[in-house]
Amino acid sequence: PNVAPVTGITVKGVAVTPAFAPATLAYTVTLPEGSTVSAKDVKVQGPDTGDVEISYASNKATIKVPSAPGDPVYTVTVTVAP
C-alpha cells in the first residue's frame, strides 16, 4: 500500500484530534469563540501536502487536504466554540 505523504495537520496551531495517523482520514479541531479559518491557517506537515480546500456551514469549516492523485484525502472538521 502507498504510504501517506502527510505526517500531521494543524489549524491555527491546534493539532487535529485524534492524534494524526496516516490511516485515519477524518479529524476534528475546536477553536476558540470568534475564530475564523482560512487556507493560510491550515498547516499540513509532510513532503507532499497538496492544496487545502475549505467549505463552510454554520460554525463548522470542513477542510479537505488532497495530495497527489490517488493519495488519501484527509478531512478536518473545525468547530468554533460557542
Side-chain angles (χ1 to χ4, degrees):
N2 290 344
V3 174
V6 174
T7 58
I9 303 171
T10 58
V11 180
K12 289 202 162 187
V14 179
V16 294
T17 56
F20 185 82
T24 302
L25 300 179
Y27 295 93
T28 61
V29 169
T30 301
L31 296 177
E33 180 180 0
S35 295
T36 58
V37 180
S38 68
K40 66 180 172 49
D41 298 322
V42 181
K43 302 296 181 200
V44 180
Q45 293 78 48
D48 179 17
T49 55
D51 295 322
V52 173
E53 303 168 5
I54 301 179
S55 57
Y56 294 94
S58 180
N59 66 333
K60 292 185 178 179
T62 300
I63 300 166
K64 291 189 178 179
V65 185
S67 46
D71 283 346
V73 174
Y74 297 101
T75 301
V76 180
T77 301
V78 178
T79 301
V80 176

